[in-house]
Amino acid sequence: MNVKIEPSWNSTLRDVFEQDYFKNLVTFVKDEYANTKVFPPGKEIFNAFAHCPFERVKVVILGQDPYHGDGQAHGLSFSVRPGVPFPPSLLNIFKEIKADIGRDMPPNGDLTRWADQGVFLLNATLTVRAHQAGSHQKKGWEEFTDQVIQRISDQKESVVFLLWGAYAQKKGLLIDQQKHMILKAPHPSPLSAHRGFLGCRHFSKTNAYLKSKGLSPIDW
């Protein structure tokens, strides 16, 4: 199957694209885009992969669903386009960065600059119907993204996985903790951030680990 995805990922996942569940997923997604409003725009479904080739992955930040509001989602977990107000979780992420490493709040919520440095901003589900949270869950995306996480764990070394919230933390079972660093915290949502996300210092801890492995730190 010819999936339009960044070449290194296409090579890494070629066999996945031939699996029956993925073919069924493609049929479902194409039908949804043809018949209803879906986010992100079709050309940005694999944006996280486009900006962070497989060989450059140093950090993985797992989200769950794309934003389902107009103009927000563009294929990177937690990220929004320039000009879009910061969603509450993203605002708390920036607050923690400020407290942790002293970096001031950025002018916009576009995390493409992270992705271009090797931060793989992966949502468990890559598409969603407009204004219908969770509408594309259990259609095959989770199986696909689990396989992506597994390939990163199996084929790379010294990757930092930031698992925020109970849903993301379940993915820890897919990751070889002998080869990689896993950092866990509550979700940055206002409902839970005060229970330990704020104060987790994951951004400085990530950079300390990367430097200990001879890798360049992330300019958060």
Side-chain angles (χ1 to χ4, degrees):
M1 180 177 292
N2 181 25
V3 176
K4 293 181 180 177
I5 194 170
E6 192 276 332
S8 68
W9 285 106
N10 191 52
S11 174
T12 302
L13 300 169
R14 187 175 293 123
D15 61 309
V16 173
F17 299 143
E18 297 302 326
Q19 294 173 18
D20 288 341
Y21 89 86
F22 191 84
K23 294 178 181 179
N24 292 335
L25 172 62
V26 168
T27 299
F28 166 76
V29 170
K30 285 182 175 178
D31 186 63
E32 286 284 284
Y33 274 91
N35 293 293
T36 188
K37 191 173 186 179
V38 180
F39 298 131
K43 67 181 187 300
E44 295 180 334
I45 293 173
F46 294 113
N47 214 16
F49 301 79
H51 283 278
C52 191
F54 182 77
E55 66 274 7
R56 291 180 57 196
V57 174
K58 295 193 288 188
V59 181
V60 178
I61 299 180
L62 288 174
Q64 189 165 359
D65 242 20
Y67 297 120
H68 55 84
D70 292 311
Q72 291 181 300
H74 64 130
L76 305 175
S77 63
F78 294 101
S79 180
V80 290
R81 304 172 189 281
V84 176
F86 295 164
S89 292
L90 183 57
L91 183 61
N92 281 331
I93 289 170
F94 290 143
K95 285 180 179 177
E96 176 56 24
I97 290 172
K98 171 67 172 175
D100 185 11
I101 60 174
R103 187 182 183 106
D104 288 334
M105 198 79 65
N108 61 64
D110 185 352
L111 303 182
T112 302
R113 60 187 180 82
W114 292 5
D116 291 337
Q117 296 178 74
V119 181
F120 188 46
L121 297 163
L122 181 67
N123 279 318
T125 304
L126 298 188
T127 56
V128 67
R129 276 192 184 186
H131 315 301
Q132 295 184 40
S135 49
H136 284 188
Q137 292 177 7
K138 299 182 172 62
K139 303 295 184 182
W141 277 130
E142 295 93 339
E143 188 170 349
F144 170 69
T145 53
D146 279 359
Q147 288 180 289
V148 171
I149 294 165
Q150 190 89 59
R151 296 290 164 96
I152 294 171
S153 176
D154 291 349
Q155 298 181 27
K156 296 183 68 69
E157 293 187 7
S158 305
V159 174
V160 182
F161 290 84
L162 302 183
L163 306 183
W164 299 334
Y167 182 88
Q169 288 168 19
K170 291 176 184 175
K171 306 296 184 181
L173 296 173
L174 303 169
I175 302 162
D176 184 346
Q177 298 186 41
Q178 304 302 312
K179 296 167 58 183
H180 307 287
M181 183 177 207
I182 297 176
L183 294 174
K184 297 180 181 180
H187 196 276
S189 159
L191 298 175
S192 54
H194 62 282
R195 297 204 297 263
F197 176 81
L198 297 173
C200 69
R201 304 198 66 205
H202 279 186
F203 304 95
S204 61
K205 290 176 181 177
T206 293
N207 280 349
Y209 177 81
L210 292 175
K211 286 191 273 190
S212 78
K213 298 296 183 180
L215 300 168
S216 57
I218 305 300
D219 179 7
W220 299 108

